[in-house]
Amino acid sequence: MLTTMTDRFRIKRFWTMLRHDYDHNVPSAWIGMPLAAFAAILFGEIGFMMSGYSINPGSFANTFYMVLASFFILSMVLMATFMFDKMSGRYGQISYLTLPATNLEKFLVNLLETVVSTIVFFIIGMVLADAARIGLCMTLFNKPLFQTMLLPQIFVEKVVPLGVIALWLQSVTMIGSALWRRKVLVKSLALLFVVVAAAILINGICNPSLTTTNIILAPLTLANYVLTYKIFVKTQLK
């Protein structure tokens, strides 16, 4: 029997799955992620405010972007290790695999939560942290030059160009989340370490530009998504 696209994906089922995950993951993801980003970025900004990097907004931007990029990549990678955490136990596997939705719909919901939601929540936490920093600059640090939003511009100009790299690193970790059910964090990070070590070796030999790197990593990221989906589809109770 032929399977049509409508049989494999329907917006109504997709939306139901998204609502199901939202109802069951509010404390851990929908609230925890923005708060974690807010706290980490704010403490980083406070540290820079108390150091010699805060002479002027220009010097702050030229150095803090590395911290911001590191936090962003770390958030993407860590959230990927929880992509299929709903299936970590036997009961969770039974419950999730028997939900009234196709494998494609379940996977796309998890992909949306892991990629898009992580980016959105990180940006929310970043903006709130920058607003809090402005309040501190007006009250405690007495730095009038820093009483303006800085991080959104830094993010757009210096972190977004690294976005493909972040997505690729996250996609590698997704494979581990789909492949393993126990000690997912440790095993996924070990897999990422091996892949990154090989990538660094290749990069050292070829020394490509950032644009070339992004062109190469974009299809590799899509391939990792497909591989993750294939592993997810073949998931069986263990």
Side-chain angles (χ1 to χ4, degrees):
M1 181 182 296
L2 294 177
T3 301
T4 65
M5 189 61 190
T6 304
D7 294 330
R8 298 184 64 186
F9 180 82
R10 288 185 179 180
I11 292 295
K12 184 177 181 179
R13 289 196 304 254
F14 176 81
W15 178 250
T16 300
M17 277 295 303
L18 191 61
R19 289 294 303 270
H20 173 272
D21 279 12
Y22 173 81
D23 292 338
H24 289 79
N25 293 280
V26 172
S28 60
W30 299 84
I31 296 177
M33 175 60 197
L35 288 179
F38 168 80
I41 294 172
L42 181 59
F43 278 117
E45 287 188 293
I46 291 175
F48 268 62
M49 288 289 102
M50 299 175 65
S51 69
Y53 295 110
S54 60
I55 300 175
N56 56 68
S59 62
F60 178 88
N62 289 333
T63 50
F64 192 76
Y65 89 90
M66 293 183 288
V67 176
L68 190 62
S70 298
F71 283 157
F72 177 65
I73 293 174
L74 182 63
S75 298
M76 296 287 281
V77 168
L78 289 180
M79 290 303 291
T81 65
F82 299 105
M83 185 172 182
F84 299 108
D85 65 327
K86 313 169 193 68
M87 301 170 61
S88 58
R90 184 174 179 81
Y91 175 78
Q93 291 182 44
I94 296 174
S95 176
Y96 200 74
L97 290 176
T98 56
L99 287 173
T102 65
N103 287 327
L104 179 61
E105 290 158 353
K106 294 174 185 178
F107 177 78
L108 291 178
V109 166
N110 282 281
L111 188 66
L112 175 68
E113 293 171 346
T114 304
V115 179
V116 179
S117 296
T118 301
I119 295 173
V120 171
F121 291 151
F122 182 87
I123 292 175
I124 291 173
M126 176 190 70
V127 171
L128 292 176
D130 215 26
R133 175 193 55 77
I134 293 175
L136 292 175
C137 287
M138 296 174 64
T139 56
L140 297 179
F141 294 116
N142 190 27
K143 292 180 178 290
L145 293 177
F146 287 85
Q147 295 177 15
T148 183
M149 298 290 286
L150 297 175
L151 295 192
Q153 182 177 356
I154 297 174
F155 185 81
V156 171
E157 293 181 355
K158 296 182 178 294
V159 178
V160 169
L162 303 175
V164 176
I165 296 176
L167 289 172
W168 173 70
L169 293 172
Q170 185 188 54
S171 70
V172 174
T173 317
M174 286 180 185
I175 296 174
S177 181
L179 190 59
W180 295 296
R181 292 289 171 262
R182 297 180 179 179
K183 298 182 180 179
V184 179
L185 178 62
V186 175
K187 293 179 180 179
S188 297
L189 292 181
L191 172 65
L192 182 64
F193 176 81
V194 172
V195 174
V196 169
I200 292 175
L201 179 63
I202 296 173
N203 183 76
I205 297 174
C206 301
N207 194 27
S209 65
L210 179 59
T211 300
T212 302
T213 299
N214 288 339
I215 292 174
I216 295 173
L217 293 183
L220 291 179
T221 301
L222 294 177
N224 286 341
Y225 290 163
V226 173
L227 178 58
T228 303
Y229 174 69
K230 294 293 185 181
I231 296 173
F232 170 72
V233 169
K234 294 181 179 180
T235 298
Q236 297 181 4
L237 299 180
K238 299 179 180 179

